[in-house]
Amino acid sequence: MSSAPRRVRVRAPELIGKGGWLNTGGKRYSLADLRGRIVVLDFWTFCCVNCLHVVDELRELEEKHSDTVVVVGVHSPKFVHEAEHAAVADAVERYGVAHPVLDDPELATWKQYAVRAWPTLVVIDPEGYVVAQHAGEGHVHAIERLVTELEAEHAAKGTLRRGDGPYVPPEPEPTTLRFPGKALLLPSGHLLVSDTTRHQLVEFAADGESVVRRIGSGARGFADGTAETAAFSEPQGLALLDEGAVVVADTVNHALRRLDLATGEVTTPAGTGRQWWRGSPTAGPARGTDLSSPWDVAVWHGLVWIAMAGVHQLWTYDPGEGTVAAVAGTTNEGLVDGPGAEAWFAQPSGLAVSPDGERLWVADSETSALRWVDVDGAVHTAVGTGLFDFGHRDGPAGQALLQHPLGVTALPDGSVAVSDTYSHALRRYDPATGEVTTLATDLREPSGAVLVGDEIVVVESARHRLTRLGLPEEAVRVEPTAHRTRRAVTEVAPGGLRLDVVFRTPAGQKLDTRHGPATRLLVSATPPELLTDGEGAGTDLSRTLALNPAVEQGVLHVSAMAASCDTPSGDGSAEYPACHVHQQDWGVPVRLTRTGTDRLALVLAGTDEDA
């Protein structure tokens, strides 16, 4: 048992959401129904790669404590599309979410629990009280330790109820593809498609309908081998290597895989199967370096470029040298152009090389942006303004809007087709005119496309199919729409604002100060003029910000990190057997008013009363 003093107990607010429940066989649940179980609320949204990391982290906890722990996903949307119940249901199946999910399109439960970031985990004890809250990913080790303590405590009190959980899996659907991700035209004229949810690759004949073969066992896993025995975990991007093999972005395995087209043999040229964490090497031997959710790949100037969605960067893999390296992006999430080492991305998810080889196009999904990298490595933005503006609006690039695009395809005339995923459309950007137009609508979550002759084959992910389209000379006209993120704005007072990032070391751990300060805080703002003082990096998790009274509203971008290590003896005398990094990025919309608060508290790890 932990020797840490118990805090004032806070009763957990009820679970409410107009969208209803998923994965329960149609039954609605209240906290009273779950009394006697340890409940872990996972506040997530399906666009967020960090949320998807947490879904994967929770799998082992759910399996190990299946008779005492109930995980409930509380889906809290960012994009307008994510508020659609059918889209949430699709995402729950797409990502293999194996626990009940409350669809909360109006963020009602999010507000009740004062959540400020995706993802956030809240632990509720068997008597219905909140005992911990963690923002960001990488906290499951601490939650598992807390669960073990709660099991012992409440078993002794007689308040622990064991048994089967409320999860009811959906019935499988007999479709040829299930939430496919990307497609690739092979030298044979066949099409190779990443069948993401089925953890396979599917080779189709030239008609795009006749299945030639499947590669992968179909079970989630990480194993090299033959076409029948190899295992993937949610593969996405595909690119043709010079020697006729295919490189695959094996997203949830955090690895690159190589498919020999002649034999069907699958090997692993890059990645360890472990997720990259801050402090891990960003360059080195490909098989010995951790990656993080590679989403797409493209071959450019002899290197395999990797859209490393999990850390908001672009990396490269050198097949000749057998090495990988980060080449663009700082790991901070946002939209900042400039030299590769200084640029910011937000979940880059699609890559394509221009016909002249001068540009690498990037679909930067969370900023709803189309970006490109030039041959000197500098990053530029063609369409998009940042994390919080999105929609479906054609016109000059400076005014046009996209909504969470996942794919980009270079067209023969130098223009670019964008799989505008959450707008259910295929868009076109022409660098010659600077105009954005719409090529096709009424697609369902297009996630990639590939040119086949004078047609473009679109991966309609949520319709589980490939769709062939002609390339019209004129775009389809649509009514423009514009949106901003749905989160509530925090009213703050102009002048001094006290920022406190709350981090309470999890039970059985202490701060890791072996290599210097154990914490880091980075603060910036959109627009930059919002902050007159307090911007930049530091090691103190508290800081006073000076807000410009001439700027009525904006977004504070806060990134916090804390490092801790296990102390199994509990007295702090042990060596460091296992160390952990706790990290989270917040984008906090603020409005300046005279009656606003002068303190902003963000919980990295702690309890509700810490805030």
Side-chain angles (χ1 to χ4, degrees):
M1 296 289 293
S2 172
S3 60
R6 290 289 185 186
R7 301 295 184 101
V8 176
R9 301 213 297 172
V10 177
R11 177 67 72 179
E14 191 51 83
L15 305 178
I16 51 177
K18 285 191 173 181
W21 289 77
L22 296 162
N23 281 355
T24 63
K27 182 176 178 180
R28 293 176 175 267
Y29 281 88
S30 67
L31 284 177
D33 298 323
L34 304 176
R35 195 64 48 81
R37 310 297 290 273
I38 300 164
V39 178
V40 179
L41 302 182
D42 175 18
F43 289 87
W44 71 299
T45 189
F46 64 77
C47 72
C48 164
V49 71
N50 308 94
C51 299
L52 303 183
H53 290 166
V54 169
V55 168
D56 290 309
E57 289 176 2
L58 288 170
R59 295 185 200 280
E60 184 176 348
L61 176 74
E62 293 178 275
E63 182 177 349
K64 184 176 180 180
H65 300 271
S66 60
D67 64 336
T68 60
V69 171
V70 174
V71 175
V72 175
V74 182
H75 189 268
S76 314
K78 171 186 174 180
F79 290 98
V80 171
H81 172 58
E82 293 176 304
E84 298 175 13
H85 183 73
V88 180
D90 283 345
V92 168
E93 181 187 351
R94 180 196 303 269
Y95 298 116
V97 179
H99 50 248
V101 172
L102 172 64
D103 181 11
D104 183 19
E106 297 181 348
L107 305 181
T109 297
W110 164 288
K111 294 171 185 175
Q112 286 280 80
Y113 281 83
V115 175
R116 289 186 177 273
W118 296 281
T120 290
L121 295 170
V122 176
V123 182
I124 301 170
D125 72 13
E127 294 179 286
Y129 292 93
V130 173
V131 292
Q133 179 175 327
H134 299 271
E137 52 184 302
H139 298 294
V140 173
H141 59 277
I143 291 176
E144 203 279 333
R145 184 190 292 265
L146 175 59
V147 164
T148 301
E149 292 183 0
L150 291 172
E151 286 175 337
E153 175 185 343
H154 288 274
K157 292 173 64 177
T159 51
L160 183 69
R161 178 168 58 90
R162 295 180 181 270
D164 293 334
Y167 170 63
V168 178
E171 290 292 327
E173 297 287 344
T175 52
T176 302
L177 297 170
R178 203 69 190 162
F179 298 105
K182 307 287 185 182
L184 175 68
L185 180 64
L186 300 177
S188 64
H190 290 181
L191 289 165
L192 188 67
V193 180
S194 53
D195 195 9
T196 305
T197 298
R198 296 235 176 92
H199 315 296
Q200 291 180 316
L201 309 179
V202 180
E203 183 177 345
F204 288 92
D207 61 9
E209 297 180 1
S210 304
V211 175
V212 175
R213 60 175 171 169
R214 292 181 177 270
I215 297 98
S217 66
R220 184 191 296 272
F222 188 15
D224 291 342
T226 66
E228 294 76 23
T229 63
F232 299 92
S233 187
E234 299 182 26
Q236 287 281 351
L238 309 164
L240 198 64
L241 297 172
D242 291 339
E243 69 269 26
V246 171
V247 62
V248 182
D250 196 7
T251 304
V252 178
N253 278 329
H254 311 294
L256 298 186
R257 315 296 294 281
R258 180 184 182 277
L259 167 65
D260 187 314
L261 288 170
T263 66
E265 191 78 14
V266 176
T267 53
T268 302
T272 63
R274 298 184 301 270
Q275 182 184 340
W276 185 96
W277 288 100
R278 188 177 294 275
S280 300
T282 56
R287 283 294 281 123
T289 304
D290 298 340
L291 309 180
S292 183
S293 296
W295 210 278
D296 202 6
V297 282
V299 177
W300 191 38
H301 297 298
L303 299 175
V304 177
W305 285 67
I306 310 166
M308 203 75 77
V311 286
H312 318 299
Q313 290 182 309
L314 302 181
W315 287 41
T316 57
Y317 161 59
D318 187 331
E321 297 294 327
T323 57
V324 293
V327 292
T330 64
T331 76
N332 294 315
E333 186 177 11
L335 192 154
V336 176
D337 290 341
E342 301 173 11
W344 291 22
F345 293 93
Q347 289 179 217
S349 301
L351 300 175
V353 178
S354 64
D356 60 8
E358 294 297 309
R359 293 184 179 186
L360 178 71
W361 293 102
V362 183
D364 201 27
S365 63
E366 277 292 279
T367 55
S368 297
L370 175 63
R371 322 276 298 273
W372 87 85
V373 183
D374 64 28
V375 291
D376 295 324
V379 178
H380 310 264
T381 297
V383 183
T385 60
L387 287 165
F388 304 101
D389 294 291
F390 52 88
H392 188 161
R393 186 165 66 198
D394 289 341
Q399 301 173 18
L401 292 173
L402 307 170
Q403 186 177 182
H404 198 79
L406 291 177
V408 60
T409 307
L411 300 179
D413 64 353
S415 64
V416 186
V418 180
S419 296
D420 195 10
T421 310
Y422 289 1
S423 291
H424 309 299
L426 190 68
R427 314 285 294 283
R428 176 177 177 265
Y429 167 69
D430 186 350
T433 64
E435 291 285 320
V436 175
T437 53
T438 298
L439 295 175
T441 58
D442 194 33
L443 301 170
R444 187 67 184 173
E445 292 193 19
S447 55
V450 59
L451 281 174
V452 179
D454 59 357
E455 295 181 314
I456 188 165
V457 176
V458 180
V459 181
E460 273 199 274
S461 186
R463 284 200 177 113
H464 321 293
R465 71 186 189 190
L466 302 179
T467 299
R468 288 180 179 268
L469 302 172
L471 289 175
E473 295 183 3
E474 294 186 3
V476 177
R477 292 191 178 275
V478 298
E479 290 298 318
T481 59
H483 306 288
R484 285 188 62 83
T485 299
R486 300 164 59 91
R487 281 181 290 174
V489 173
T490 299
E491 294 191 346
V492 297
L497 176 67
R498 179 69 176 181
L499 171 64
D500 292 314
V501 174
V502 178
F503 178 73
R504 193 151 60 89
T505 308
Q509 297 180 29
K510 67 178 183 180
L511 288 174
D512 179 10
T513 56
R514 293 172 298 162
H515 308 296
T519 57
R520 178 177 180 269
L521 179 65
L522 176 67
V523 180
S524 62
T526 303
E529 297 78 21
L530 176 63
L531 279 178
T532 59
D533 192 30
E535 184 179 13
T539 58
D540 193 338
L541 292 182
S542 295
R543 183 183 303 181
T544 298
L545 310 179
L547 303 181
N548 185 351
V551 179
E552 295 183 357
Q553 61 183 13
V555 178
L556 292 176
H557 304 283
V558 181
S559 178
M561 184 274 291
S564 64
C565 290
D566 292 347
T567 55
S569 64
D571 59 7
S573 62
E575 293 299 321
Y576 299 86
C579 296
H580 316 279
V581 175
H582 315 263
Q583 182 180 354
Q584 177 59 25
D585 299 327
W586 291 268
V588 184
V590 296
R591 180 184 299 115
L592 275 61
T593 66
R594 292 183 179 180
T595 57
T597 182
D598 61 0
R599 178 177 181 259
L600 176 62
L602 303 174
V603 178
L604 180 59
T607 60
D608 282 350
E609 61 267 22
D610 288 325

